[in-house]
Amino acid sequence: LHLRVALRRALSSYKTSSALEGAQLPKTSSIFPYSGLIPTRTATGMASHGYQYDLIVIGGGSGGLAASKEAAKLGAKVVCMDYVVPSPSGTTWGLGGTCVNVGCIPKKLMHQAGILGEGFSDAKAFGWNVTAEGHDWGKMVTNIQDYVGSLNWAYRVTLRENNVEYINAKGAFKDAHTIVCTKKNGKVSEITADKIIIAVGGRPAYPGVEGDKECCITSDDVFSLPKAPGKTLCIGASYISLETAGFLTALGNDVSVMSRSVFLRGFDQEIAEKIVGYMERHGTRMIRGGVPTKFEKLADGKVKVTYTNTETKTDVEEVFDTVMLAVGRNACTADLNVEAAGVLLHPKTGKLEAPTEQTNVPHIYAIGDVLHQRQELTPVAVKAGGLLARRL
């Protein structure tokens, strides 16, 4: 509030003095960072700082794309880098980040597929003469991936239309203003910028149990499986685990959820129990107090899971067609080499501590899931990206 009052007074004073001198407020003034007062410049550079770009954005997810486009609209010379490291199962995807490719969008489409299937029984009760001949998993996946692919292309077109340069390469810091770009073919180049935004997001975590990466999939893989997962074990009590179990059950698969302790930790527990109860009544089996200790791939391709029941203190073995891990997510900071730029990471989470989105290095910023103690939500990252670009 004090800042706004001061800005209004400064603006009033400036207008008055300009009027006395017979001059008008310059349209290119950059001292008042509010909408309507932000200057419009050509994308040739915001200042003569000596670097190739005004802004490098590392990460082409929801937050990174929003920041890139907004900064370019305001006249900055911007480059957006994005690269997807294949999952241990070999899954990769295009521009757009987690939400578009392996999160919100395909999840909602698979939920819709499940809801349509469950609606058949209700339709008959209301007089509809419908028959269900089973579900074609392959057809569903093909159509969903085609739709996601169209979004990937649309994002690339939008960047080009907004004069944002796109580089499909993995970025890492060489120093505080230099980023090393490594492409899929191994070609390496370097770019420099006055300011840098880190928007690399996160990827699914693995529990560190024998056979986890060799035998299990994650949410990175489930939306592009070539065939129905069959008898599936979802390990974890998070909303990612429960959502996946929900639509897989609705699509006709035999699904179990293994929880170490409480379901949906951090959520209202009364509601959480109601959700779990609803899922159980609709066919999802809940394994409470289970901690996996070993995964083993069998000759027929199935996975034998060994877990400890913390209530009975006994070891249990069970075989599944598919095992999906949903035990948390890790920030993609390990390969960024932020140390070379002097940027500090949180010692436990590996995320960036930047409550105002500005790191301990003044010209390096961060948005989205890579931030410590920030809501991991797409709308938050989108809004943060746009607002940060305006502030910069």
Side-chain angles (χ1 to χ4, degrees), residues 182-196:
T182 305
K183 294 190 174 183
K184 186 177 180 180
N185 61 7
K187 184 178 179 181
V188 178
S189 61
E190 294 181 5
I191 54 177
T192 61
D194 181 44
K195 293 180 175 63
I196 298 171

Side-chain angles (χ1 to χ4, degrees), residues 22 29 35 113 115 164 174 214 216 219 256 280 295 369:
S29 172
S35 59
I115 290 170
V164 176
K174 179 179 180 180
E214 296 80 8
C216 305
S219 58
S256 301
E280 287 181 308
F295 302 102
D369 294 4

Side-chain angles (χ1 to χ4, degrees), residues 173-253:
F173 283 90
K174 179 179 180 180
D175 57 47
H177 287 277
T178 306
I179 300 297
V180 178
C181 312
T182 305
K183 294 190 174 183
K184 186 177 180 180
N185 61 7
K187 184 178 179 181
V188 178
S189 61
E190 294 181 5
I191 54 177
T192 61
D194 181 44
K195 293 180 175 63
I196 298 171
I197 296 177
I198 301 171
V200 293
R203 297 288 290 270
Y206 287 80
V209 174
E210 181 182 348
D212 54 0
K213 293 183 179 180
E214 296 80 8
C215 302
C216 305
I217 65 170
T218 67
S219 58
D220 280 355
D221 313 294
V222 69
F223 301 110
S224 56
L225 290 176
K227 63 179 183 179
K231 183 181 178 182
T232 304
L233 174 65
C234 296
I235 299 179
S238 65
Y239 61 83
I240 294 176
S241 178
L242 294 186
E243 284 177 336
T244 304
F247 68 69
L248 290 182
T249 299
L251 292 172
N253 298 282

Side-chain angles (χ1 to χ4, degrees), residues 84-89 91 93 97-99 101-103 200-208 212-213 216-223 235 238 240-241 244 323-333 351 369 376:
V84 179
V85 177
S87 72
S89 297
T91 306
W93 51 87
T98 297
C99 179
N101 293 283
V102 289
V200 293
R203 297 288 290 270
Y206 287 80
D212 54 0
K213 293 183 179 180
C216 305
I217 65 170
T218 67
S219 58
D220 280 355
D221 313 294
V222 69
F223 301 110
I235 299 179
S238 65
I240 294 176
S241 178
T244 304
V323 179
M324 194 197 88
L325 299 172
V327 293
R329 295 178 67 82
N330 293 328
C332 297
T333 55
K351 293 187 175 185
D369 294 4
E376 297 182 359

